[in-house]
Amino acid sequence: MNHNSTIFELYGNDTSSGQNTNLNRTTISQGITSLILNIYIGPILCAFGICGNIMNIIVLFKGRLTESPYLYLKTLALTDMFALILTLIHMTISGKSTMYVWQFFNAYVFFPLANFFMAASVWLTVGVTIDRFIYVKAPLFARGYCSRKRARVRIVLILFLTLLVSVPRFSCYTVYGNGDTFSLTKTSFRASITYYRMYNITCIVIIHVAPLLILMFCNVYLICALRHAKSTREELHIRNNREKDWQREQRRFTITLISIVLLSIIAIVPSTIVDFVQFFKTSFNTYRKLRLSSNMLLLCNLSMNFLLYCAFNKRFVRAMRNIICRDKLHFTPMRRSRSPIFLPLTHIL
C-alpha cells in the first residue's frame, strides 16, 4: 500500500482499494481517537491558533517592530494563520461533506496549500534561526547580511521554493462522482510507486530532515552562546544603561527564538519518524494513528507562538500594551466643554 509522507493527508474520502475494508475492521478501536482529535481537539487548536496569530499580526505590524528578525516573524504569523484556517475548514466542513465544491476544495486547495504553508512555516523558522546564529557567531558580518532588505529577499526565496516543492501536490487527487455525492480518488501520479516515492523522499529530506538538523545545531549553539554571554556580562559589570537595555532586548529575542525552535523540533521529530515508518510493513490503521497524532503536534506548533512571545519577549508585550492603550484612547469619547479655555492641550498645540 502506498502511503503519503506529508504534513496533512486526506483520509476520509480516499477510496484506495483495501483501505475502507481495513478501516471498517477497526472502527470501534479507532473511532473514539479519531473523533476526539478531528472533531474536538483539532478545531479547538485551530481556532485558538487563528486568534493568536491575528494578535501576532496586529502587534508585529503596528508595534513598530521593524528589525529584520521581526520580518520573519510577521511572515511566519501569516503562513501559520492561513494553514490553520484551511485546516479548520477541512476539519469542520469539507472533510465531512460529499458536495463537489468541498471535494474540489480538499483536492486542490486544502491538501496542497496547507502543506505549502506548513513547509513555509518550517523554513521561515529555519531562516530566522540562521540569521540569529550568524548574528551571534559573527556580529560584524551580520551587519550587512542581516539587513531588512536582504531578509525580504530571503523570505521571498523561501516562499517561492516551498511553493515550487508543493506544486506536485496539486495533481495528487481528483474529484469523481455523480448527482450529489462526490469523493476523491488518487491520480496516476499519486498512485505511482516510482515517481511519487521519489517525490515523497524529496519532501521528507527538504521539509523534515534538513530543517530538523539545522534547527538542532543552531539551537544548541544559541543556548551555549546565551550562557556564555551571561557569564561575560557578570565579569564586565556593564554600567551603561543604554548598552544594558540593548543587550537585554537581544537576549530576550534569542530566548524567544530558542523557545520557538524547541517547539518546532518537538513537532517535527514525530512527523519525521512517521515519514520513515511508512517505508516498513505498517498497516494503514497504525500509520493513520501515528499521522493523526503527529498532525496534532504540528497544529500546536502553528498555534503557540503568541503564548511564547508573551512569555519571553517583553518588547512584544510592551508593543501590544501600547497598541491596546492607544486604541482605548482613540475610542474614548471626549467631553464637550462650554468654554474654549477647557479645550484639550493637543488642540491648542
Side-chain angles (χ1 to χ4, degrees), residues 46-327:
C46 290
F48 174 79
I50 292 168
C51 295
N53 280 294
I54 289 174
M55 285 299 300
N56 291 340
I57 292 169
I58 293 173
V59 175
L60 291 172
F61 278 93
K62 295 181 64 177
R64 297 179 182 178
L65 304 174
T66 59
E67 293 83 353
S68 61
Y70 288 102
L71 292 178
Y72 287 96
L73 298 188
K74 292 174 184 178
T75 313
L76 181 65
L78 290 171
T79 56
D80 289 353
M81 184 183 68
F82 289 138
L84 289 169
I85 290 174
L86 292 174
T87 306
L88 180 62
I89 294 174
H90 175 72
M91 286 184 168
T92 56
I93 304 176
S94 67
K96 303 174 183 179
S97 176
T98 57
M99 295 175 60
Y100 175 83
V101 63
W102 290 118
Q103 293 303 317
F104 182 90
F105 172 85
N106 288 334
Y108 302 110
V109 180
F110 164 72
F111 178 64
L113 291 184
N115 283 281
F116 157 66
F117 287 126
M118 173 59 82
S121 175
V122 171
W123 274 103
L124 286 168
T125 305
V126 172
V128 68
T129 304
I130 292 176
D131 275 21
R132 180 53 46 162
F133 171 81
I134 294 174
Y135 182 85
V136 174
K137 180 71 174 176
L140 294 178
F141 173 75
R143 289 183 180 180
Y145 179 82
C146 298
S147 65
R148 295 180 71 243
K149 183 178 180 180
R150 294 191 176 185
R152 289 194 191 97
V153 173
R154 288 191 288 274
I155 289 170
V156 172
L157 187 62
I158 287 172
L159 295 176
F160 174 75
L161 292 178
T162 49
L163 179 60
L164 196 63
V165 173
S166 303
V167 165
R169 298 191 190 278
F170 287 91
S171 59
C172 285
Y173 293 94
T174 184
V175 182
Y176 81 99
N178 50 32
D180 296 330
T181 303
F182 293 87
S183 58
L184 300 181
T185 185
K186 294 178 180 179
T187 62
S188 57
F189 167 72
R190 176 63 179 82
S192 171
I193 296 177
T194 303
Y195 296 108
Y196 189 77
R197 176 160 293 188
M198 292 173 59
Y199 173 70
N200 207 1
I201 295 173
T202 302
C203 288
I204 293 174
V205 174
I206 293 177
I207 299 176
H208 289 162
V209 178
L212 183 61
L213 295 176
I214 296 172
L215 291 175
M216 292 176 67
F217 172 78
C218 292
N219 216 40
V220 170
Y221 181 86
L222 290 176
I223 292 172
C224 295
L226 202 63
R227 295 184 62 182
H228 177 70
K230 182 179 179 181
S231 61
T232 303
R233 286 194 307 273
E234 292 175 354
E235 293 176 1
L236 295 177
H237 299 288
I238 298 174
R239 296 182 180 181
N240 188 327
N241 290 332
R242 182 175 296 179
E243 181 70 16
K244 279 185 178 180
D245 292 340
W246 182 83
Q247 288 191 1
R248 190 181 296 114
E249 293 291 345
Q250 296 301 317
R251 185 171 66 255
R252 286 170 179 168
F253 183 85
T254 303
I255 294 173
T256 305
L257 182 59
I258 289 173
S259 65
I260 294 172
V261 172
L262 286 175
L263 182 61
S264 298
I265 291 173
I266 293 172
I268 294 173
V269 167
S271 187
T272 306
I273 294 174
V274 175
D275 287 339
F276 286 105
V277 165
Q278 67 176 314
F279 294 111
F280 300 95
K281 291 184 178 179
T282 307
S283 67
F284 176 79
N285 299 320
T286 302
Y287 174 80
R288 185 172 184 268
K289 285 182 179 179
L290 295 173
R291 179 59 70 188
L292 284 172
S293 301
S294 66
N295 280 353
M296 291 302 113
L297 290 175
L298 292 170
L299 290 179
C300 289
N301 184 38
L302 295 171
S303 305
M304 298 301 172
N305 283 348
F306 176 73
L307 297 181
L308 297 179
Y309 297 159
C310 291
F312 299 110
N313 195 329
K314 289 189 177 181
R315 187 179 178 187
F316 177 88
V317 176
R318 188 164 58 246
M320 180 172 62
R321 190 184 297 118
N322 291 337
I323 291 172
I324 294 174
C325 294
R326 187 165 64 242
D327 290 342

